[in-house]
Amino acid sequence: MSAQIGVTGLAVMGANLARNLARNGYTVALHNRSIEKTDYLLEKHGGDGEFIRTETMQELVDSLEKPRRVLIMVKAGAPVDSVIDSLVPLLEPGDIVIDGGNSHYEDTRRREAALAAHDLHFVGVGVSGGEEGALLGPSIMPGGSREAYDSLGPMLEKISAKYNGEPCCRWIGTDGAGHFVKMVHNGIEYADMQVIGEAFDLLRSGAGIEPADQAKIFTDWNSGTLSSFLIEITAEVLGHTDARTGKPFVDVVVDAAGQKGTGRWTVVSALALGSPTSGIAESVFARALSSQTEQRVLAQGILQGHEGTVELPETFVEDVRLALYASKLVSYAQGIDMLTAAAKEYGWDLRLDEIASLWRAGCIIRAELLDDIMKAYAVAEERPANLLLTPAFAEAIAGAVPAWRRVVATAVQLGIPVPVFSASLAYYDGLRRPRLPAALTQGLRDLFGAHTYNRVDGEGTFHTLWGEDRSEIEAVDTH
Ligand code: NBP
């Protein structure tokens, strides 16, 4: 018996993907650096389907049909390189090495090029949905060559989540495209969670609504335009009571948010691409600030708030819902804009409608909204320059703007930090204002560094002789 695919790395994600593959009728060869995880999986879940137990990399490779498909599910970073180094000498041209971990897309680009030199395919696959998704159907974002996808794609599509019967798995693009898209997905996830947190804080600290009552509000919101997995689980977490103290669970959890790094990667990449992803950036910084526990404790005794008093409008809860919706839309718009910038930079033909389509189920940011986003990009001739410029979204966000402004102004008055609500609103205003103070920035740059500027009334690049007679000369922009 030979296996159609091998999985090496059988911690929670690898084990669940292996089980998912076996449950879908594939024979799966199992391998882990330490044999205990392999045996544990076989003992607990050996009945899920056909598995082949292997102890060494050579046994793993020998157990596979050709072209061989080996899925690496080890810790991202150096362990992936170490596994690749031990695999490559055992493989033959045409074999496919797949990395399903959260690898950085630049690592994936490097590995793809290195393996191509051995006539091996390297496929970086973004997998979202956590451990449950891996078992029951994740959202899958595969990169690598089209040829590799022809061999691997049907298997991945079969084990992926389905939205109205359609698989949440499509070939994304060459080399690191899959991991890039997964990274941006995670960036949007950070922003999505932060705007939910800001809404919670406003309802609690601003309107005094207790978590259990908020759980009902979020449940209600989940049946409208905000309908999404994250809103659904927010209601669950807010409705949970701590068994030990009888307090709301959210009150006994330390308010320092962790991060594994994909949000940070998104922001670093956005900076490198010159892509204004302020909502995602603020959400990453908000987690970082929350974790500066020592400084926060000191600041409580030193920094004055001078909060104002605000009479909340009767519509406050609805205002917060609209502000949340608008800010969330901006985060998606910024993430998608970043994908467009990356497609240009790396030569990827990213299909934004397909990417939105495979986030509709299986992944953490799954939301009703994504179906509309998919439709916004479906017709090539009508693709908007920015998601917010799609007629339906422009109208939806316009309807939210008055509430959004009220909420941000109220938050500022009350001293409640709403970094993503306010950064998103600033982005929205920055996009729509006919003039920005960037003109002054250009003037300053020209004065101190002769960086030159363009004029509103004609072609050409100019420099003013600030230190001389302030006459203007035409300049060749060398900066
Ligand atoms: P971990 O990221 O915790 O990695 C543990 C696995 O890596 C074990 O199988 C371990 O083998 C193996 N490993 C390590 Br550590 N160093 C190794 C080395 N030098 N050589 C060979 N094997 C090595 O596992 P995970 O949580 O299942 O995640 C796997 C990947 O999926 C990661 O990239 C993760 O970021 C990504 N991911 C995780 C989630 C999630 O919800 N957890 C979601 C989406 C993606 P051992 O058993 O011998 O120590």
Side-chain angles (χ1 to χ4, degrees):
M1 187 169 68
S2 59
Q4 284 134 311
I5 190 164
V7 181
T8 179
L10 299 173
V12 59
M13 290 298 286
N16 281 359
L17 282 174
R19 291 176 60 197
N20 188 350
L21 284 158
R23 286 168 166 201
N24 276 286
Y26 297 109
T27 301
V28 184
L30 300 174
H31 176 266
N32 194 70
R33 178 176 62 176
S34 47
I35 192 69
E36 291 77 19
K37 282 197 177 67
T38 314
D39 286 335
Y40 180 81
L41 171 56
L42 285 168
E43 186 191 318
K44 289 274 178 196
H45 306 289
D48 275 355
E50 297 287 351
F51 293 110
I52 298 176
R53 176 185 185 275
T54 71
E55 286 193 24
T56 64
M57 213 48 113
Q58 184 69 60
E59 276 179 38
L60 173 71
V61 168
D62 290 344
S63 70
L64 298 171
E65 68 175 32
K66 294 179 188 176
R68 300 180 183 87
R69 304 177 194 94
V70 185
L71 172 59
I72 301 172
M73 286 306 297
V74 303
K75 204 175 186 63
V80 177
D81 286 313
S82 155
V83 171
I84 291 172
D85 288 346
S86 54
L87 255 179
V88 166
L90 311 176
L91 297 175
E92 290 172 12
D95 287 348
I96 303 167
V97 178
I98 309 136
D99 173 17
N102 270 340
S103 292
H104 193 282
Y105 71 98
E106 288 288 14
D107 284 337
T108 305
R109 286 163 58 78
R110 168 178 59 78
R111 290 166 185 150
E112 204 263 351
L115 266 67
H118 296 270
D119 289 325
L120 296 171
H121 295 288
F122 184 76
V123 180
V125 179
V127 178
S128 175
E131 53 185 288
E132 189 180 282
L135 181 63
L136 303 176
S139 169
I140 306 181
M141 293 148 258
S145 70
R146 182 80 232 190
E147 194 188 341
Y149 191 77
D150 288 342
S151 165
L152 182 68
M155 300 176 85
L156 297 181
E157 288 178 18
K158 200 159 180 194
I159 66 162
S160 73
K162 307 291 179 301
Y163 182 88
N164 287 343
E166 280 177 55
C168 291
C169 171
R170 298 289 272 269
W171 180 63
I172 299 284
T174 52
D175 57 75
H179 274 140
F180 188 91
V181 169
K182 169 68 193 329
M183 176 188 77
V184 173
H185 161 285
N186 284 23
I188 294 173
E189 180 185 310
Y190 272 59
D192 228 346
M193 290 170 72
Q194 175 64 23
V195 288
I196 288 172
E198 291 174 17
F200 158 70
D201 202 9
L202 280 160
L203 295 180
R204 184 85 181 278
S205 313
I209 304 173
E210 289 303 306
D213 293 322
Q214 287 203 36
K216 291 177 204 139
I217 292 172
F218 276 92
T219 301
D220 185 39
W221 288 357
N222 196 37
S223 59
T225 48
L226 280 175
S227 173
S228 60
F229 171 67
L230 284 170
I231 294 285
E232 180 191 326
I233 64 169
T234 298
E236 203 173 322
V237 172
L238 290 179
H240 182 55
T241 303
D242 176 50
R244 228 192 288 177
T245 59
K247 291 181 180 169
F249 167 75
V250 74
D251 285 350
V252 300
V253 177
V254 173
D255 59 347
Q259 47 182 318
K260 281 194 170 170
T262 45
R264 196 181 312 132
W265 289 353
T266 312
V267 179
V268 170
S269 304
L271 289 172
L273 289 164
S275 187
T277 55
S278 51
I280 297 173
E282 286 294 349
S283 65
V284 175
F285 291 141
R287 288 200 196 186
L289 175 61
S290 77
S291 299
Q292 291 191 323
T293 313
E294 207 179 312
Q295 287 189 45
R296 287 178 54 206
V297 170
L298 288 171
Q300 284 164 43
I302 298 171
L303 301 182
Q304 301 290 312
H306 294 297
E307 293 94 338
T309 46
V310 183
E311 192 165 333
L312 298 180
E314 277 184 14
T315 55
F316 188 65
V317 173
E318 176 61 3
D319 281 2
V320 172
R321 185 187 74 82
L322 288 167
L324 169 50
Y325 174 72
S327 306
K328 182 182 165 100
L329 258 187
V330 167
S331 299
Y332 279 79
Q334 292 181 345
I336 290 170
D337 192 44
M338 185 176 166
L339 293 180
T340 308
K344 267 196 211 127
E345 175 72 19
Y346 297 109
W348 296 325
D349 181 21
L350 298 183
R351 288 284 308 266
L352 299 173
D353 55 335
E354 291 185 357
I355 291 168
S357 83
L358 41 97
W359 289 346
R360 289 177 302 175
C363 67
I364 305 298
I365 65 168
R366 60 187 182 261
E368 284 299 316
L369 183 68
L370 281 157
D371 203 38
D372 294 329
I373 295 179
M374 187 203 86
K375 287 174 189 149
Y377 289 95
V379 182
E381 304 75 50
E382 292 170 14
R383 264 175 218 149
N386 183 301
L387 176 69
L388 303 181
L389 305 184
T390 313
F393 286 122
E395 196 182 321
I397 209 162
V401 167
W404 199 7
R405 293 199 193 287
R406 278 196 296 275
V407 166
V408 171
T410 301
V412 171
Q413 284 292 320
L414 296 177
I416 300 170
V418 285
V420 179
F421 276 18
S422 54
S424 305
L425 182 55
Y427 173 84
Y428 177 82
D429 282 331
L431 208 51
R432 53 168 278 283
R433 298 265 297 177
R435 289 285 289 166
L436 292 175
L440 176 57
T441 307
Q442 286 298 83
L444 298 175
R445 293 177 70 237
D446 190 58
L447 188 150
F448 69 67
H451 290 296
T452 73
Y453 53 89
N454 304 115
R455 296 183 57 96
V456 295
D457 51 5
E459 297 291 306
T461 304
F462 300 93
H463 169 58
T464 289
L465 299 170
W466 296 98
E468 299 172 33
D469 62 355
R470 297 202 173 183
S471 59
E472 185 177 73
I473 57 167
E474 191 142 9
V476 180
D477 188 357
T478 53
H479 295 91

